[in-house]
Amino acid sequence: WQLALHHCQQSDITVIAGFAAGKTSGLAMSAITWSAMTPHFSFYDVAPTANQAYQMFTYLRDRLVEGMPFFDKFIEGGKKEGAKIVERPYPKIVIVYGLPQKSGKPRKVKSELIFLSADKNASKIKNIEADWICLDQAEEIVNLDDTVRNLGTRTRGNRPDGTKRLGRLTLLANSNDNVFSDNNFIGNS
């Protein structure tokens, strides 16, 4: 399922699986791969709380700094151009790499992964543009309809180089009921 998620043609994806099924790690590795393959790629992981979004950040950070060539090439090698892994004011991973040019000197491009809280139906993060937004722990979102609407409109348009954004919104959820949703069928008539 992780491979299917990575290559999925649909723009809206929902993954419902049990605890420790690999939802966060699989999606995190897919996002960092897309970032390394797509110039100016922008990924956001949002969750009910900043601490929950921080979990995906720490998973990626720990994988990236444990001696992988990815770190040396895309982060350490691009520090002069702004590559970094930071925790404040919010967790963020910026990778930088060069694209070959006819002149022989590679053109440097950035991609970024940002990890935020979806507090207040994600209304605080409505001014972003992203290729891919993951709504993590979707079963815990208080007003899922409004949050999805607010986030879904952020995955359109073009990247800074004029190429079309991926336009993907993914909901990750454990197999629990969303007790906050107005659309809960149990008890409704």
Side-chain angles (χ1 to χ4, degrees):
W1 71 265
Q2 291 173 335
L3 184 61
L5 170 79
H6 182 71
H7 292 286
C8 191
Q9 296 294 313
Q10 294 88 348
S11 57
D12 296 332
I13 305 162
T14 302
V15 177
I16 302 171
F19 292 97
K23 297 181 300 296
T24 298
S25 59
L27 194 132
M29 294 311 284
S30 180
I32 198 76
T33 301
W34 274 98
S35 296
M37 296 182 343
T38 311
H40 309 290
F41 193 82
S42 179
F43 171 81
Y44 282 79
D45 179 62
V46 296
T49 67
N51 187 47
Q52 288 166 317
Y54 187 73
Q55 291 174 15
M56 185 182 289
F57 168 77
T58 57
Y59 174 82
L60 273 175
R61 180 199 62 203
D62 292 351
R63 300 297 78 72
L64 294 175
V65 299
E66 64 185 9
M68 290 179 62
F70 186 99
F71 180 83
D72 296 336
K73 181 175 183 175
F74 293 103
I75 297 173
E76 188 64 39
K79 279 191 174 176
K80 288 181 184 176
E81 291 83 18
K84 58 189 169 187
I85 298 176
V86 297
E87 294 189 27
R88 297 203 187 326
Y90 47 83
K92 180 181 196 178
I93 299 171
V94 179
I95 64 172
V96 176
Y97 50 97
L99 294 178
Q101 301 296 305
K102 289 181 182 178
S103 66
K105 184 178 180 184
R107 178 174 55 100
K108 296 291 184 177
V109 296
K110 292 181 185 180
S111 291
E112 61 184 13
L113 300 95
I114 298 173
F115 308 84
L116 301 168
S117 164
D119 188 36
K120 298 182 181 169
N121 304 328
S123 60
K124 291 182 178 181
I125 54 177
K126 284 174 59 173
N127 295 328
I128 64 169
E129 291 183 355
D131 285 274
W132 188 1
I133 297 176
C134 170
L135 180 55
D136 209 345
Q137 302 291 321
E139 79 281 3
E140 295 181 13
I141 298 293
V142 173
N143 190 335
L144 188 58
D145 292 343
D146 286 348
T147 302
V148 167
R149 186 173 26 262
N150 288 340
L151 293 174
T153 60
R154 306 291 88 211
T155 60
R156 62 177 186 246
N158 296 324
R159 295 183 196 101
D161 63 359
T163 57
K164 188 175 175 166
R165 293 199 181 276
L166 179 61
R168 183 179 282 185
L169 174 64
T170 302
L171 276 63
L172 287 186
N174 290 304
S175 53
N176 291 338
D177 287 333
N178 182 329
V179 297
F180 306 109
S181 176
D182 291 337
N183 296 326
N184 193 339
F185 293 107
I186 300 173
N188 292 344
S189 52

